[in-house]
Amino acid sequence: MIEARRLHILRAVADHRTVTAAAAALYLTPSAVSQQLSALEQETGHRLVERSAKGVRLTPAGEILLAHTHVVLAQLERAEAELAAYGSGEAGTVTVAAFATGIALVVAPAVARLARTAPGIRIRVQDAEGDASLPMVLDRQVDVAVAVEYRGAPAADDPRLAHIPLYAEPFDAVVPVTHRLADAPEVPLAELAKDSWIGPYPGNPCHDVVVLACENAGFQPRLEHSSDDFRAVVALASADAGVALVPRSALRGMDLTGVVVRPIDGAAPTRRVFAAVRRGAEEHPLIRPVLDALGEVARA
């Protein structure tokens, strides 16, 4: 008989690619993870992982078991959801990880809405970028992630996650008031090819959006300054340190002294925001109202 907790460990090792990283995500010791993998191999009668200097990879047998693992764990999430519904599920805590602008734009208003419509549900919010929040959901550190699509992100049909679109917003060009294009009604992105750039660090989903937009315009942006805080990005632009692309919602209420904000000429780069939960958990009686509130706020 295969134990479900060992399937959790197998998936964590597949996701994180090393025993040490999987152990850290699961709050276990590396030796405990190795012992559970060995026990799982004994239960199945197959070698499931291969270790090398570069980490761990699944064997063909391990890949077969991983595909079944996604189905089994999703079904267990559904079982927990139905049992919680049977027990009324009117009170409990849901943890939501989201990036800063997402917290301000949809999570905080959703918390206020739930206080009126589902007062028994307590929301705990953690600030985390999308590339961090999705692994947190898979590792059961949080229940819901509000994240941004980026290159390398799990696809909408990923068997581990349920994907709920929330909203999409364009990036606008932010240039110093002294910039040669400051008076243009729209900014052609290709015209910024020779400028110094200010933007998020690699790994931040918005970094991918900016770089991909510039690549589509025929150039690689020369990133001279890096910050994940868009207030800092705008402040540097106002100091004539460079140009930037910033999501429109991130500019709300910001001090724009010293810069001008212009839409992009042509197809604007877009930040697509979604909520994600472990597949099978989307109908949990505590999580469903949170997803509904996020969707209602985003549509409004």
Side-chain angles (χ1 to χ4, degrees), residues 64-79:
I64 291 171
L65 183 57
L66 181 64
H68 288 284
T69 292
H70 297 323
V71 176
V72 170
L73 295 184
Q75 191 60 40
L76 287 174
E77 293 283 356
R78 295 187 186 98

Side-chain angles (χ1 to χ4, degrees), residues 113-215:
R113 184 183 293 256
L114 287 164
R116 300 190 301 271
T117 61
I121 298 177
R122 177 173 175 261
I123 306 297
R124 294 179 62 247
V125 180
Q126 297 184 24
D127 189 333
E129 293 295 340
D131 58 324
S133 63
L134 296 177
M136 291 168 72
V137 168
L138 291 171
D139 293 333
R140 305 181 69 86
Q141 297 172 12
V142 301
D143 302 301
V144 181
V146 174
V148 177
E149 290 182 2
Y150 60 96
R151 287 188 287 189
D157 60 353
D158 190 292
R160 303 168 298 170
L161 293 169
H163 184 288
I164 301 95
L166 293 178
Y167 65 92
E169 62 172 328
F171 282 63
D172 289 325
V174 177
V175 302
V177 293
T178 57
H179 195 273
R180 63 189 181 280
L181 297 176
D183 294 329
E186 296 181 329
V187 172
L189 201 52
E191 294 296 319
L192 302 177
K194 295 183 179 180
D195 285 86
S196 296
W197 279 73
I198 312 156
Y201 283 101
N204 185 315
C206 288
H207 174 90
D208 284 349
V209 175
V210 171
V211 171
L212 183 59
C214 293
E215 288 175 353

Side-chain angles (χ1 to χ4, degrees), residues 31-53:
S31 62
V33 169
S34 295
Q35 289 170 6
Q36 292 299 316
L37 286 175
S38 296
L40 185 59
E41 289 179 329
Q42 291 177 0
E43 288 172 346
T44 61
H46 292 277
R47 187 181 181 189
L48 302 175
V49 297
E50 292 180 346
R51 294 170 174 81
S52 70

